[in-house]
Amino acid sequence: MCETTQTLGDQRNMRQWLAEGVDSSTVHHFVPGPGIKKLDLKFDIGALREALETCLQRVESQGDWAEQGFGAFSLTRRPGVETETANDLSGRYWLRTAETYEEEPREEPVDEFAFTQFVPEFAGTYFEHVHSELAKRFPIGRMRVLSKGLYNCNSWHRDPEPRLHIPILTNPGSLFIVNHHVTHLPADGSVYFTDTRGYHTALNGGETRRVHIVAALPQESSPQ
C-alpha cells in the first residue's frame, strides 16, 4: 500500500470516528458487563453512612482516612482471633511484573471460610444487619470497609475469589474495572458482584474519598 493510500485511509477513518460523537451522559451510571453485575438486594444508604461514622469512632482503623489516604477496617474475623495481621487485610493476590509480564503471587493465602465471626465491637450497627443478610444468601469470608483517597488507584491484579461491593461514599470519578469492562458503582445501597478472579482495579479519579464494603465470596477450589 502506497503512502498516499495510507494517508487517505487515515483521514477517512478520522472523519468517521469524529462523526460518531461522544457519549458523556452515562459515565456516572452502573453499566453491567462481563464480571460485574448488580444483585436484587438493596440496603439503606443513610443507615450505611451512619454505621460508617459509628464504627470509625469505635475502633482504630488501618491506614489513613484522610482525603489522600487509604484506610481499612474489618467487619469479620476468625472466631476468638482479636488481633488481625496485615495479611488478614490484604491476602493472596497475583499481578504481572513490569519487566517480564510474568504472573507472580503476592502475600500469603487466607482461609476465607474461617472468617465467620462478625467483629463484636460493631455489634448492633447497621453493618451487622448487612452481614446477616449477606450470610443468609452466600458464604461470606473477610468483610472489610475500604477507603480510597482522591486521585488514587489499586494495582492491576487478580484475587482467588470474587467479591461483593456495597458503595457507601463515592463520586462520579470512581470507577471499577474488571478485565476490559469499566463502570461506575453508585452509592445508593445497591450490592454489586465483581468477579475479581479476573484482573481488575478500582480507581478514584474524583475529588472526594471513596468508601466501599467489600465482602469476599469463598470458593472451595480457590487457587493458592
Side-chain angles (χ1 to χ4, degrees), residues 98-160:
E99 294 83 6
T100 66
Y101 279 61
E102 293 295 321
E103 189 171 74
E104 294 184 4
R106 292 287 191 270
E107 306 296 340
E108 295 301 316
V110 169
D111 180 5
E112 296 287 354
F113 286 101
F115 287 74
T116 58
Q117 183 182 32
F118 188 79
V119 173
E121 286 83 352
F122 305 137
T125 68
Y126 192 68
F127 286 163
E128 185 175 28
H129 167 71
V130 172
H131 178 259
S132 175
E133 290 300 312
L134 294 180
K136 288 177 184 177
R137 295 164 170 81
F138 321 104
I140 297 295
R142 288 177 300 159
M143 184 167 163
R144 299 162 293 163
V145 177
L146 304 179
S147 172
K148 182 171 296 300
L150 54 93
Y151 309 142
N152 200 309
C153 179
N154 286 352
S155 66
W156 183 243
H157 68 283
R158 68 180 180 90
D159 300 314

Side-chain angles (χ1 to χ4, degrees), residues 162-207:
R163 310 278 167 86
L164 297 176
H165 277 248
I166 306 174
I168 302 175
L169 299 173
T170 192
N171 62 72
S174 292
L175 302 172
F176 200 91
I177 304 168
V178 181
N179 288 325
H180 298 290
H181 184 75
V182 56
T183 187
H184 174 63
L185 305 181
D188 59 6
S190 295
V191 183
Y192 301 91
F193 167 79
T194 62
D195 198 345
T196 48
R197 295 173 299 180
Y199 271 86
H200 64 281
T201 187
L203 63 90
N204 181 3
E207 297 181 337

Side-chain angles (χ1 to χ4, degrees), residues 16-66:
Q16 178 182 340
W17 297 334
L18 291 171
E20 291 173 355
V22 176
D23 180 8
S24 60
S25 64
T26 61
V27 292
H28 60 287
H29 298 154
F30 171 67
V31 180
I36 187 162
K37 309 292 183 183
K38 183 161 67 172
L39 279 65
D40 292 327
L41 175 64
K42 202 166 188 177
F43 295 102
D44 184 312
I45 187 61
L48 288 169
R49 290 172 178 170
E50 181 179 347
L52 173 63
E53 294 305 317
T54 299
C55 290
L56 284 174
Q57 294 172 10
R58 290 187 182 181
V59 72
E60 182 178 349
S61 60
Q62 301 289 328
D64 178 10
W65 281 76

